Amino acid sequence: MDSESPPARNGLNDVDDVYSDLYSTISQVTATTANDVDQLPYPITFRNLIIFVGATVGGLLFGYDTGVISGVLLMLKPQDISLDVVTDFQKELITSVTCLGSFFGSIIAFPTADKYGRKSTMALCCTVFVVAAIWMALSTSLTFLVIGRLIVGVAVGVAAQCVPVYLSEISPASTRGLVLALNTLAITGGQLISYVVSLSMQNVQHSWRYLFGLAALPAIIFLLILDFIPESPRWLISKGEFADALDSLRAIYPTAPLQLVSLKLKWLILDIGKLRKYQDAEDPLLVRTHSTSRYIGVNDEPLSESSPSQDNNLVVSAESRTRHKMEPRAKRALLVGCTLMFFQQVSGINAFLYYSAIIFAQFEVKNPLVPAMAVAATNFVFTLVALKCVDPIGRRSMLLYTIWIMTIGLFLSSVGFDKNNTKLILVALLIFVGGYASGMGSIPWSSVEFLPLNRRSFGAACISCTNWLSNTVVSVSYLSIANVMGMDRAMIMFAVFTILNWIFVYYYYPEVKGLTLEEIGKVFENGIDVSYVYRNYH
């Protein structure tokens, strides 16, 4: 009598069993290999210093090209661009068109970074920076200058989208907040440099041309050190390039034992493959790479190209050829990231960074670039506070502590504008900028860490686009709105947004300090668990 056939099983259940067994196997390996590489002390070496500093060149240029406009607007003479007079609207146009270009740059960066890699996209970005810098420096008409500002905006948008993604994917979990804050430090440093250079060149004929042209230098330096910067290991894994991913991880963790680096690679392959298991339910573990299938051993065996019959081999789906709907947890993560970025811009920060020199010029300050530089310097210095505090204190706590400081600064500045008190205005703006730089200046850009790998580049583009759309609206309308409703009421309007921002963070922004990128997804699995870290690890 034939034995009864086992009941048919659902393909997805089989997949879950496979991954459960693999997690169990790797957990046993982990127990015998001291600590996870992410939990080891992370010493700074010359190589990883080049990696992190080189990657933030895009942020430096982002800051320089957005900050330099304040000095340019003071030094630009109408006859330099074939005009009789430069109106407020034309100043707003020259300023805001960069934000509009950045919106399109963020859209372009998303498919480019996914298809060609983060490193190649950053190289393309720096090439565009060079072209735009030369274009703007040689402009002889308003039209050409606006086109040049639009082109540099595209490069800024690519940098704003791609650099945080790259930094989040190459940084250890224990230092990811610090590494992401480095990008913001580069942005604020670029803005400060633009003010220092503007101040030093204000008596030079056609100095605004030199201000634009100097932006080409950091971009050229990045292109020269490109060979020392590795590609994102997570992107390489998503393309099935496991051997290259191992080389990239060894560059990122130069002092870690090879055994732990190899184990980190296996965990990443497993986690990235698990993201795709529902996309390839019939054959979820097949790796598709050109004409070969690649395998990675679980028991600390080297990478090899072998057959599926080898024991203890993990084979993970590396690329999906079809489009799928975004999973609910990714939608929730993206909504949080975009909303926080919206609040970053409507707080009014770029109205002050772009137009601070013009604002103080209206109060007949002898050299309006000096208080403008003080604002930029405060932005830079307090970004160092974020750099030091964001990992030990946590992103959520930093936001809750600092948004109120921003609100107080805005209310004080409203009083200063109402009383025409220049000293109070400056002090209030410095309070506001200090609070902003300590939290809202850097943390919204780190929201890319909420997103799963298969949505990270797209999500970063959405977050960046939110930034640039909001930024465009503020920068293209601020001078006009302030003329209509008054500077004091404009400050109150910004303060209302910061209050709403604090309420949003309290109820919807989760803490993720110390979590790996792959573990963060659990925070958004069932709603938004703002207390996940505290409940599970503290």
Side-chain angles (χ1 to χ4, degrees):
M1 183 175 180
D2 294 336
S3 60
E4 185 177 352
S5 301
R9 299 192 61 185
N10 183 282
L12 294 179
N13 290 335
D14 291 337
V15 176
D16 285 328
D17 290 344
V18 170
Y19 278 101
S20 178
D21 291 343
L22 290 169
Y23 268 111
S24 177
T25 302
I26 294 184
S27 294
Q28 294 172 14
V29 175
T30 304
T32 65
T33 54
N35 296 313
D36 178 17
V37 68
D38 275 324
Q39 304 308 317
L40 296 178
Y42 192 70
I44 298 298
T45 66
F46 180 72
R47 176 66 189 275
N48 56 29
L49 190 64
I50 288 179
I51 293 172
F52 293 134
V53 173
T56 58
V57 166
L60 179 74
L61 292 168
F62 170 173
Y64 182 88
D65 280 302
T66 53
V68 77
I69 194 63
S70 186
V72 167
L73 292 179
L74 282 180
M75 302 173 190
L76 182 66
K77 297 179 180 178
Q79 57 267 30
D80 290 340
I81 52 174
S82 306
L83 294 176
D84 295 327
V85 65
V86 180
T87 66
D88 279 350
F89 172 75
Q90 289 168 336
K91 291 177 182 178
E92 290 174 332
L93 178 62
I94 294 170
T95 303
S96 63
V97 74
T98 297
C99 304
L100 184 62
S102 300
F103 171 78
F104 293 111
S106 297
I107 296 174
I108 294 169
F110 146 56
T112 306
D114 270 355
K115 184 173 182 179
Y116 299 106
R118 290 35 167 154
K119 176 180 172 180
S120 298
T121 303
M122 290 191 295
L124 176 64
C125 166
C126 284
T127 303
V128 177
F129 269 122
V130 173
V131 173
I134 296 172
W135 183 297
M136 291 185 295
L138 299 178
S139 295
T140 56
S141 69
L142 177 64
T143 301
F144 269 79
L145 181 56
V146 168
I147 292 173
R149 292 286 292 171
L150 183 67
I151 294 172
V152 82
V154 172
V156 168
V158 173
Q161 187 273 351
C162 194
V163 173
V165 170
Y166 178 77
L167 291 175
S168 71
E169 292 180 353
I170 67 168
S171 53
S174 59
T175 61
R176 191 174 58 249
L178 184 148
V179 172
L180 285 168
L182 278 176
N183 185 49
T184 307
L185 186 67
I187 295 171
T188 57
Q191 291 168 339
L192 178 58
I193 290 171
S194 72
Y195 281 101
V196 172
V197 175
S198 297
L199 189 62
S200 64
M201 299 184 68
Q202 60 182 335
N203 296 321
V204 177
Q205 190 175 11
H206 302 302
S207 55
W208 65 273
R209 297 189 186 276
Y210 297 109
L211 292 178
F212 281 139
L214 286 172
L217 294 180
I220 293 172
I221 293 173
F222 175 84
L223 294 174
L224 292 176
I225 65 171
L226 192 62
D227 288 342
F228 295 95
I229 298 176
E231 181 55 86
S232 160
R234 287 173 169 87
W235 180 82
L236 290 168
I237 290 170
S238 75
K239 298 300 180 182
E241 301 294 338
F242 298 145
D244 291 339
L246 180 61
D247 290 339
S248 179
L249 286 170
R250 292 181 68 180
I252 294 168
Y253 301 94
T255 62
L258 178 59
Q259 183 186 35
L260 293 184
V261 176
S262 298
L263 186 61
K264 174 67 175 180
L265 174 63
K266 294 164 192 176
W267 272 113
L268 290 176
I269 293 172
L270 187 63
D271 285 325
I272 292 168
K274 194 169 176 66
L275 285 173
R276 303 178 184 275
K277 69 178 183 176
Y278 295 107
Q279 297 179 4
D280 299 290
E282 293 182 0
D283 193 7
L285 303 179
L286 179 62
V287 177
R288 299 179 179 89
T289 62
H290 304 298
S291 60
T292 63
S293 291
R294 296 187 179 182
Y295 298 85
I296 177 73
V298 171
N299 296 321
D300 295 325
E301 297 169 3
L303 288 164
S304 63
E305 293 195 8
S306 55
S307 66
S309 61
Q310 277 190 294
D311 294 335
N312 292 328
N313 276 346
L314 167 61
V315 190
V316 185
S317 174
E319 187 155 9
S320 175
R321 301 298 185 187
T322 57
R323 295 288 181 185
H324 300 271
K325 290 183 178 180
M326 182 178 289
E327 54 273 24
R329 72 177 187 178
K331 289 181 180 178
R332 286 189 281 268
L334 183 57
L335 180 62
V336 170
C338 289
T339 303
L340 192 66
M341 187 58 78
F342 166 78
F343 279 122
Q344 184 201 66
Q345 290 304 307
V346 296
S347 68
I349 181 62
N350 282 317
F352 307 131
L353 291 176
Y354 296 159
Y355 301 119
S356 55
I358 293 177
I359 292 172
F360 287 106
Q362 293 176 354
F363 287 90
E364 298 182 356
V365 175
K366 184 176 180 180
N367 191 338
L369 279 175
V370 173
M373 189 172 69
V375 170
T378 302
N379 196 22
F380 176 77
V381 170
F382 279 88
T383 301
L384 294 173
V385 175
L387 204 68
K388 183 175 179 60
C389 298
V390 69
D391 277 322
I393 296 178
R395 288 94 159 130
R396 173 181 163 84
S397 297
M398 285 294 292
L399 290 174
L400 292 177
Y401 295 153
T402 59
I403 292 173
W404 278 116
I405 298 174
M406 296 168 58
T407 306
I408 291 170
L410 288 169
F411 277 118
L412 287 176
S413 65
S414 176
V415 174
F417 280 116
D418 184 53
K419 303 296 184 182
N420 289 325
N421 189 326
T422 307
K423 291 182 179 179
L424 179 58
I425 293 171
L426 179 58
V427 170
L429 288 183
L430 295 183
I431 292 172
F432 166 79
V433 172
Y436 168 86
S438 301
M440 283 298 292
S442 60
I443 293 174
W445 291 108
S446 70
S447 297
V448 295
E449 65 186 348
F450 294 165
L451 299 158
L453 178 67
N454 61 336
R455 303 295 182 186
R456 191 167 297 138
S457 188
F458 169 75
C462 292
I463 292 170
S464 184
C465 285
T466 302
N467 174 288
W468 295 116
L469 277 178
S470 307
N471 194 337
T472 301
V473 172
V474 172
S475 59
V476 79
S477 61
Y478 175 71
L479 292 179
S480 301
I481 289 176
N483 287 335
V484 172
M485 64 187 302
M487 290 283 192
D488 54 337
R489 290 185 178 87
M491 297 302 106
I492 296 295
M493 177 185 68
F494 290 141
V496 170
F497 281 116
T498 60
I499 294 171
L500 294 175
N501 185 12
W502 190 92
I503 295 171
F504 168 77
V505 170
Y506 184 82
Y507 285 104
Y508 296 107
Y509 189 87
E511 185 56 77
V512 295
K513 66 175 181 178
L515 300 182
T516 66
L517 290 178
E518 290 67 40
E519 190 178 4
I520 288 174
K522 296 178 182 178
V523 174
F524 297 94
E525 280 184 350
N526 299 299
I528 302 172
D529 191 349
V530 296
S531 303
Y532 176 89
V533 168
Y534 304 115
R535 188 173 58 257
N536 289 279
Y537 296 101
H538 299 282

